[in-house]
Amino acid sequence: MMKFKPNQTRTYDGEGFKRRAACLCFKNEKEDEVLLVSSSRHPDQWIVPGGGMEPEEEPCGAAVREVYEEAGVKGKLGRLLGIFEHNQDRKHRTYVYILIVTETLEDWEDSVNIGRKRKWFKVDEAIRVLQSHKPVHAEYLRRLKNTCNPSCGPVCSSTNGNTLGSQVTDNNAPHYVCSTQASDLVNR
């Protein structure tokens, strides 16, 4: 199913969840500094870059595209951290990947069009910053601590920051559900 929004087509899966993709963007393989971007709705708040998938777009391709548009970075796309569901206000199903940044643009689409900012945070500081207004985004980083280390290898490779060289299969990806009562996630 699809819904049209100005300059964007929203896509939904068979269960009515909005299909989304995001990346935790790190300075290096140590995964100790993460890049957050300012929210388009609340410029004084930080978020993990990500957004809706376009029709026929693979999750890893959408993740790379969203990071390029929102954060102005390109990099090496790594493992799929998990698939996160958020049921409180809107039904979202978000594929969250790890990306090691290799190129940072001076000016990028969202910095020019909406004045979006970006900033590097230590992981624990990013969790604190996100917890109050984006608890699901904070959970991405908490989940990071409970996953395999970076030596697990890439899930799919990015050739130029926008095009992907291989497909991702997510049948065995960890799946987390955000409960409607709290921001606690339950492994599914």
Side-chain angles (χ1 to χ4, degrees):
M1 171 175 38
M2 290 184 279
K3 282 187 185 173
F4 295 96
K5 180 181 172 184
N7 302 327
Q8 179 184 359
T9 302
R10 294 180 177 175
T11 58
Y12 294 82
D13 64 17
E15 296 176 77
F17 283 86
K18 182 178 179 190
R19 299 178 69 230
R20 300 184 76 253
C23 284
L24 293 176
C25 302
F26 292 100
K27 267 191 179 176
N28 55 46
E29 274 88 6
K30 288 194 277 185
E31 297 179 0
D32 58 353
E33 285 186 81
V34 65
L35 187 68
L36 300 181
V37 296
S38 58
S39 167
S40 59
R41 288 190 195 121
H42 307 284
D44 58 329
Q45 296 178 346
W46 297 100
I47 61 170
V48 171
M53 289 185 221
E54 294 177 358
E56 310 302 318
E57 190 173 34
E58 291 294 323
C60 58
V64 168
R65 178 184 50 76
E66 286 291 339
V67 164
Y68 181 74
E69 291 171 3
E70 292 190 359
V73 297
K74 295 180 181 181
K76 179 182 168 191
L77 189 66
R79 69 192 184 277
L80 175 63
L81 180 64
I83 303 165
F84 294 78
E85 290 180 4
H86 183 49
N87 298 319
Q88 276 180 310
D89 42 7
R90 295 170 286 187
K91 289 173 64 171
H92 289 169
R93 186 168 282 148
T94 306
Y95 293 74
V96 180
Y97 294 88
I98 301 300
L99 183 124
I100 305 302
V101 174
T102 58
E103 184 180 345
T104 305
L105 305 174
E106 288 261 338
D107 296 307
W108 67 98
E109 185 176 332
D110 279 6
S111 73
V112 172
N113 295 341
I114 63 172
R116 195 183 295 269
K117 307 280 187 241
R118 63 182 171 215
K119 183 178 174 184
W120 291 102
F121 291 86
K122 293 288 187 187
V123 170
D124 288 337
E125 181 187 3
I127 291 170
R128 280 192 304 277
V129 164
L130 294 167
Q131 186 56 51
S132 62
H133 64 280
K134 285 288 187 184
V136 174
H137 290 199
E139 189 60 34
Y140 302 163
L141 289 164
R142 279 194 208 90
R143 189 62 54 191
L144 175 76
K145 295 179 178 185
N146 298 325
T147 63
C148 62
N149 64 29
S151 64
C152 290
V155 178
C156 64
S157 60
S158 172
T159 55
N160 68 4
N162 286 326
T163 317
L164 292 161
S166 62
Q167 299 279 324
V168 159
T169 55
D170 53 41
N171 296 339
N172 296 320
H175 204 104
Y176 307 102
V177 179
C178 184
S179 74
T180 55
Q181 300 302 313
S183 61
D184 297 338
L185 294 184
V186 213
N187 204 349
R188 190 162 152 207

